[in-house]
Amino acid sequence: MFCILLCCCFCAGLAFAADGNSSPVSAAPTGPPKAKVDDIVETIHGHKIADPYRWLEDASSADTQEFVREELAYTRGILDPLPGRDGIHQRLTQLLSTGTLAGPQIAGPYCFYTRREGMQNQPLLLVREGMQGKDRILVDANQMAADGTVALDWWYASDDGKYVAYGTSPSGSEESTLHVIETATGKLLPDAIDRTRFGSVSWKKDNSGFYYDRTPKKGDVPAGEEVYHVKVFYHQLGTDAQRDRLIFGEGRNAQDIPSAQLADDDDRWLLITVGEGWTKSELYLLDLQAGTPAVEVTSGKNFLYSAEILKGKLYIGTNEDAPHYRVFVADASNPKRENWQEIIPPGDAVLANLSVFGGKLFARYEKNASSRLKVFELDGKPVGDVALPTIGTVTGTGGRWDRQEILFDFQSFTVPPTIYQVDLSSRQSALWATLSTPGLDASAYEVNQLWYTSKDGTKVPMFVFHKKGLALNGRNPTLLTGYGGFNLSLTPMFAADRYVWLEHGGVFVVANLRGGAEFGEDWHRAGMLEKKQNVFDDFIAAAEFLIAQKYTDKEHLAIRGGSNGGLLMGAALTQRPDLYRAVVCQVPLLDMLRYQNFQIAKLWIPEYGSADDPHQFDWLYAYSPYHHVKQGTEYPAILFMTADTDTRVDPMHAKKMAALMQAEAANGRSRERPILLRIESKAGHGVGKPVTKQIEEFTDLYSFLFWQLGVAP
């Protein structure tokens, strides 16, 4: 299997949850802390830039830790007394017990997938023997930490299913350690490899070892560079991982991310895919039988490429001169660009993923931000479509090149994660695994896709989700979200927490902004680098459209986003503070002049640019939220949410922005329209967050929104 669209190195994850009611209301501070102000002014490319709260970048300093304690006490003093919290918490507990299903894979006689139900904090990796066998727990991360803060990050079964390599990490850090387990017995092998964050493993067919990637250990590279310099190694089972053979990556750019995959049917060909940001990747092919050096398959152009190898043929998916992507075939023995043959031309839908299953090409497309499944012969001849249950999203597929059975997982706004089995010969599907939805009646809700016009005339779609029979009275509580970046699509997905909002008459809206992948690479590039302002314009236009169409008004509109979507929130609230009543800004980037200096953020320079470059500085400075807070301006009520062990977006962004806005905004010290900071402990960017922490977080989030928008819980 290969994925044509490179995943973002940070997702629109959620954040934190402090200790519920740990701060007594009677002792709560009457206002936010008065953070000290440093007189730091730098001249950058001829501009004088003030940074009065730079000291908050040092999380270990006593001053920062005292600031955090005071902020959390203030936040709890505001949120804990809000009416209806107990009922919101109780309903969220019911809703999140729906659980999750994901990642179906077939290997040898086994089927693997992950499942979480009830109050399990983390998903279980389950295995069943045969397509309809009984599920058995193979890996249970819930047993690795009493508080559920160890997460199962990723897993790869060997070709015959005998072994599974999997990664775990503590406290949302995503700093994975690789382990190997024997499927039949559940026995852990002694092999354990740390620094395997990026989780790429490809097993040899005889199970003797695998290819994988890892980052360097401290001391091997300059301090702070340990999160980069990813290289591919080969590990022989039972040997010392510190002596593993380096396969690929020496001398490359520090931010390149290579990953390795062996051919589907033999161990002769090893394909190396190198991600170089979100608009470029390269393919290299090694003939392991001949032992010759890697051959560059791609042409060095600024496009994305991925591939799969079967029987000496290389099936290449790319957006080269085709924003909606197309597929080529080439001989592995002579894979240079001039020898490629196009077999699937671009169409009106965007090709998002291609696999070789059962001797066929199994393709997932996106059209108008929802999934389609299509089957082709290996020469590109269309076979037909696989029918999907409704408009929604296929989030993963599993199968083998020599098997007719395929598994895919599906969900939508009203359909929880569900896995279907497909017989490739008939293209008929049947339910394979499903979840129960406690107290939810999907038939009571409707989802509509509407189109609106952005500032420059571009047509942009949005999904609008609410109870049937909604009156367009201009006063409905409405929650608008978006992302707009890193080639990621916001498609119909199930999120149980949203029903707390919907059940109280709320409207939930997802805007498909430029910068995403919904309409191909042109759509992505129209919202990155110097064109990033298009994303913010699209989002602001979405808010204006909802008001003009009488869904809501400025006093009943809230916005929410995380990570790159947190940057979106920062830009939206600083550029149009008059347009929303409340903002939830989660794990955000906000200081765009210094973001690249923290955590893994140099990986995002191809998407945003860097202020170190004079030309790129200009467009970053033009929208950087931290640098556009205006003294005396009335801003919406804001809940900044971050986490202390976030290894993607540093929590310094939320800390600095909260301190600045509390000092400068007209409502900076208001208890009726507050600016709050919430920092979760033992949590990261959102990946692998235990359900208990999710419930506490959502309780704060919805209590805040209900209060600000006048919704009675």
Side-chain angles (χ1 to χ4, degrees), residues 349 354 361-365 372-376 384-386:
L354 187 73
L361 297 176
F362 193 78
R364 174 171 62 85
Y365 284 86
R372 308 285 193 274
L373 288 179
K374 297 180 179 292
V375 182
F376 300 86
D385 294 357
V386 175

Side-chain angles (χ1 to χ4, degrees), residues 459-642:
K459 296 294 184 182
V460 182
M462 62 167 61
F463 290 104
V464 183
F465 184 20
H466 53 73
K467 281 185 179 180
K468 291 180 178 177
L470 179 78
L472 297 181
N473 57 22
R475 300 186 306 277
N476 296 297
T478 300
L479 181 55
L480 168 65
T481 191
Y483 190 77
F486 292 91
N487 227 348
L488 292 177
S489 298
L490 291 192
T491 55
M493 302 281 278
F494 185 83
D497 67 278
R498 293 172 184 165
Y499 283 88
V500 166
W501 184 252
L502 297 164
E503 289 168 352
H504 286 81
V507 179
F508 185 82
V509 183
V510 178
N512 298 111
L513 315 172
R514 280 175 283 185
E518 291 90 343
F519 300 99
E521 184 61 15
D522 286 348
W523 193 255
H524 170 218
R525 296 193 188 204
M528 58 179 283
L529 296 174
E530 76 278 7
K531 297 179 181 178
K532 189 66 178 176
Q533 183 61 41
N534 285 336
V535 181
F536 313 141
D537 290 342
D538 290 354
F539 190 76
I540 290 167
E544 294 173 331
F545 175 82
L546 292 168
I547 292 171
Q549 297 299 310
K550 303 297 183 184
Y551 280 94
T552 191
D553 61 17
K554 295 178 181 180
E555 288 302 307
H556 295 90
L557 176 61
I559 59 175
R560 172 189 171 194
S563 196
N564 175 71
L567 168 61
L568 172 64
M569 296 303 102
L573 73 89
T574 52
Q575 293 183 19
R576 285 297 306 274
D578 61 307
L579 199 51
Y580 334 97
R581 172 66 194 193
V583 179
V584 178
C585 184
Q586 298 171 269
V587 290
L589 292 100
L590 296 166
D591 182 346
M592 296 306 291
L593 301 188
R594 290 178 57 76
Y595 83 92
Q596 70 275 5
N597 300 327
F598 300 88
Q599 307 293 2
I600 62 171
K602 284 186 173 65
L603 296 176
W604 314 328
I605 290 174
E607 183 80 5
Y608 294 132
S610 168
D612 295 337
D613 179 287
H615 178 60
Q616 296 177 355
F617 168 88
D618 289 340
W619 70 61
L620 288 164
Y621 188 41
Y623 70 76
S624 177
Y626 179 66
H627 300 92
H628 284 81
V629 175
K630 296 179 181 179
Q631 187 173 18
T633 297
E634 180 87 1
Y635 288 95
I638 304 170
L639 178 57
F640 291 109
M641 307 177 83
T642 188

Side-chain angles (χ1 to χ4, degrees), residues 125-146:
L125 176 57
L126 301 177
V127 59
R128 64 172 68 172
E129 193 158 353
M131 298 299 294
Q132 305 304 324
K134 184 179 179 180
D135 288 340
R136 171 169 55 88
I137 298 172
L138 186 61
V139 178
D140 183 0
N142 297 286
Q143 303 302 313
M144 300 176 189

Side-chain angles (χ1 to χ4, degrees), residues 82 92 113-114 161 174 224 246 248 260 269 360 457 485 493 498 508 517 526 557-558 577 618-619 657 669:
L82 294 177
L92 284 167
Y113 72 109
T114 61
E174 302 178 72
L246 174 64
F248 186 90
W269 302 105
K360 301 284 194 296
M493 302 281 278
R498 293 172 184 165
F508 185 82
L557 176 61
D618 289 340
W619 70 61
M657 191 72 165
R669 304 191 67 80

Side-chain angles (χ1 to χ4, degrees), residues 55-193:
W55 57 274
L56 286 169
E57 294 176 357
D58 183 0
S60 63
S61 78
D63 285 347
T64 298
Q65 291 174 359
E66 179 61 22
F67 169 83
V68 167
R69 283 192 292 269
E70 292 178 355
E71 285 285 353
L72 293 181
Y74 174 61
T75 297
R76 297 262 51 95
I78 295 287
L79 296 180
D80 287 346
L82 294 177
R85 281 180 57 87
D86 289 345
I88 292 172
H89 188 281
Q90 182 178 357
R91 183 58 177 141
L92 284 167
T93 301
Q94 294 173 332
L95 289 168
L96 269 68
S97 70
T98 298
T100 62
L101 294 172
Q105 295 295 317
I106 300 171
Y110 301 109
C111 298
F112 302 87
Y113 72 109
T114 61
R115 185 182 195 118
R116 188 194 68 76
E117 292 183 291
M119 284 296 99
Q120 291 171 335
N121 271 313
Q122 300 291 343
L124 308 172
L125 176 57
L126 301 177
V127 59
R128 64 172 68 172
E129 193 158 353
M131 298 299 294
Q132 305 304 324
K134 184 179 179 180
D135 288 340
R136 171 169 55 88
I137 298 172
L138 186 61
V139 178
D140 183 0
N142 297 286
Q143 303 302 313
M144 300 176 189
D147 59 2
T149 54
V150 171
L152 175 65
D153 298 324
W154 45 262
W155 53 273
Y156 294 87
S158 64
D159 197 60
D160 61 2
K162 181 178 181 179
Y163 297 117
V164 174
Y166 65 92
T168 60
S169 64
S171 302
S173 68
E174 302 178 72
E175 298 294 348
S176 303
T177 297
L178 182 154
H179 306 276
V180 179
I181 193 169
E182 188 176 50
T183 301
T185 64
K187 177 185 176 182
L188 269 177
L189 275 62
D191 305 75
I193 307 174

Side-chain angles (χ1 to χ4, degrees), residues 647-676:
T647 59
R648 297 198 190 194
V649 178
D650 197 287
M652 71 87 179
H653 288 274
K655 295 173 189 175
K656 289 173 65 174
M657 191 72 165
L660 178 64
M661 296 197 73
Q662 287 168 349
E664 300 288 338
N667 56 315
R669 304 191 67 80
S670 169
R671 292 182 66 88
E672 289 71 40
R673 199 182 180 104
I675 295 169
L676 304 175

